Amino acid sequence: MAGGGPADGQTYSTSVGLLYIFNLIVGTGALALPKAFQTAGYGLSIALLVVSSFVSYICATFIIECMGIANAYLDNDKEKKRINGYDGFAEMSEHEQKAAFEINKRIEVSEMAHMFLGKFGVLLSYLFLTVYLFGDLAIYSTAVPKSLMNVICSSTNGTTPTGHELCREDWPLFLTRYAVYRFSVFVFMLIVTPMVLVGITRTKYVQLATSFSRWTAFILMIVLASAQLIKEGPEASPPVAELSGFGSLFGVTVYAFMCHHSIPSLITPMRKKNSVNSLLFAVYTLVILFYLTLSLTGSFAFASVQDVYTFNFFHDKNTSFIYLITDYFLMLFPVFTLTSNYPIVAITLINNLKVLVTLFGNTESS
């Protein structure tokens, strides 16, 4: 697997590829981790996060190995070798056998399913991917309107809102927080639906801007929570383990390490893939340290962690200009990031649904 990049020449260095993988893993799913840590307990959360990280890493290495096998499969022209009396890999030298497994061609997960699995296996692959993409869109459709609602409405003074409170004290009675949330859902769908229909994708500069804003937001949250812990001490005392919170914790930890669908697109362009599995392990180690820092500081610093962690940094008692800019930036962070991701995920979901319909049609007709 030590080969160069793809045949089209669009390559980048190993360090850049690893940075892309790190950015892919550390997404908005991390915003739900502090709440899960506080609810399920820090001991249980740390243990499950480590297990999820390890299982995710193993699955990622499986995909990389499958990519190497798929490249060798495509290079092994069975018909040509049969005509020439050549019996595949058995007559290759050791060097030729290793070279055959170099990842030079990008082969997506769906393509590998078609290559190695029967119709039923392909059907399951697309079905699982479709469920995952639908779950992504459901999270986006909730997090963005909720962020907008919290920016528009007044603070709840640290209490957990029910949704029936007035958005602002001087507003009409029908404009509750829940009403504003529903209106935000409508506006969000009004914006992203045309983007999905016309197939708009992010440019390189939008991707860079989104990546920069994500890193700025995460670092700010860690610094602010750490500063609050140092200055005021912990406001919460999470239990070591609380089994009633295991369900939500499990879902959050699994979602926090979902990256496998994009691994072929990120690994293939790397010019050098020597020891890629070891380097990937280093990336996963760095990610889990990052997650633990974000989650532990948040779960202890705030008396009640919100479902989306950025909500805890809004309406700070300090009303200085810098604090206000920081608050609004963190609150709007999910809006910018998820809105830019939504059309791409939605288009991918639509394409998978089309394939599923085709597969079901072929199954019924056969």
Side-chain angles (χ1 to χ4, degrees):
M1 268 182 282
D8 59 10
Q10 300 296 322
T11 63
Y12 43 67
S13 65
T14 303
S15 58
V16 170
L18 295 174
L19 178 62
Y20 284 167
I21 295 174
F22 187 92
N23 288 339
L24 175 67
I25 300 175
V26 183
T28 52
L31 298 178
L33 281 173
K35 173 68 172 180
F37 265 60
Q38 192 176 74
T39 303
Y42 62 89
L44 178 62
S45 299
I46 291 174
L48 190 58
L49 193 67
V50 172
V51 171
S52 294
S53 174
F54 181 72
V55 173
S56 176
Y57 167 72
I58 294 298
C59 293
T61 60
F62 285 171
I63 290 180
I64 295 174
E65 294 296 330
C66 287
M67 290 166 60
I69 296 171
N71 272 264
Y73 179 83
L74 292 178
D75 289 340
N76 185 21
D77 191 337
K78 295 181 178 180
E79 182 64 18
K80 179 179 178 181
K81 293 172 181 178
R82 184 186 66 79
I83 295 174
N84 295 332
Y86 184 71
D87 189 20
F89 290 115
E91 298 183 13
M92 287 185 180
S93 66
E94 183 178 353
H95 175 74
E96 289 174 329
Q97 289 177 357
K98 290 182 179 180
F101 288 91
E102 291 179 356
I103 302 175
N104 296 314
K105 177 179 174 57
R106 187 185 67 193
I107 304 174
E108 300 292 348
V109 174
S110 57
E111 294 179 74
M112 289 187 280
H114 281 282
M115 292 171 63
F116 302 125
L117 303 178
K119 181 177 291 186
F120 183 70
V122 173
L123 179 63
L124 286 181
S125 299
Y126 276 99
L127 183 61
F128 293 152
L129 186 57
T130 299
V131 171
Y132 164 71
L133 293 172
F134 182 81
D136 255 359
L137 294 179
I139 293 173
Y140 294 177
S141 301
T142 301
V144 172
K146 211 169 182 183
S147 297
L148 290 173
M149 177 195 69
N150 280 273
V151 170
I152 296 172
C153 297
S154 58
S155 172
T156 57
N157 297 322
T159 60
T160 303
T162 62
H164 298 291
E165 303 88 353
L166 278 179
C167 183
R168 292 188 177 274
E169 293 182 359
D170 54 343
W171 284 21
L173 294 177
F174 66 89
L175 288 177
T176 62
R177 293 177 65 88
Y178 187 58
V180 173
Y181 168 77
R182 288 188 292 181
F183 179 74
S184 299
V185 172
F186 174 76
V187 172
F188 176 65
M189 298 310 300
L190 202 63
I191 293 173
V192 297
T193 300
M195 297 170 64
V196 174
L197 294 177
V198 299
I200 294 178
T201 58
R202 292 173 295 172
T203 65
K204 175 182 177 181
Y205 299 104
V206 173
Q207 294 179 28
L208 291 174
T210 302
S211 179
F212 175 77
S213 67
R214 176 172 62 241
W215 275 103
T216 303
F218 281 125
I219 292 173
L220 269 175
M221 287 185 285
I222 291 175
V223 170
L224 291 175
S226 300
Q228 181 167 320
L229 279 172
I230 294 173
K231 183 180 179 180
E232 303 178 7
E235 293 187 5
S237 180
V240 177
E242 179 58 58
L243 294 180
S244 62
F246 178 83
S248 59
L249 174 66
F250 178 78
V252 168
T253 53
V254 170
Y255 182 71
F257 287 103
M258 287 297 294
C259 64
H260 308 82
H261 54 288
S262 297
I263 283 181
S265 299
L266 299 179
I267 293 292
T268 307
M270 291 168 56
R271 286 191 287 271
K272 294 182 179 179
K273 305 178 183 69
N274 300 44
S275 305
V276 65
N277 287 345
S278 300
L279 295 173
L280 189 63
F281 182 81
V283 170
Y284 268 85
T285 302
L286 187 60
V287 168
I288 197 168
L289 291 175
F290 184 84
Y291 279 165
L292 289 174
T293 304
L294 180 73
S295 303
L296 290 173
T297 54
S299 60
F300 281 91
F302 298 99
S304 177
V305 179
Q306 300 293 321
D307 293 333
V308 180
Y309 187 42
T310 51
F311 298 168
N312 284 92
F313 297 92
F314 194 55
H315 300 306
D316 195 280
K317 296 178 182 178
N318 192 327
T319 57
S320 66
F321 178 75
I322 295 179
Y323 272 80
L324 287 175
I325 292 297
T326 300
D327 288 347
Y328 278 99
F329 170 73
L330 290 176
M331 287 300 300
L332 292 173
F333 161 68
V335 176
F336 298 132
T337 303
L338 298 183
T339 302
S340 63
N341 286 347
Y342 193 97
I344 298 174
V345 176
I347 291 170
T348 305
L349 175 61
I350 291 171
N351 293 335
N352 277 276
L353 287 174
K354 290 179 179 178
V355 174
L356 274 175
V357 171
T358 302
L359 288 173
F360 273 119
N362 294 337
T363 302
E364 291 176 357
S365 61
S366 59

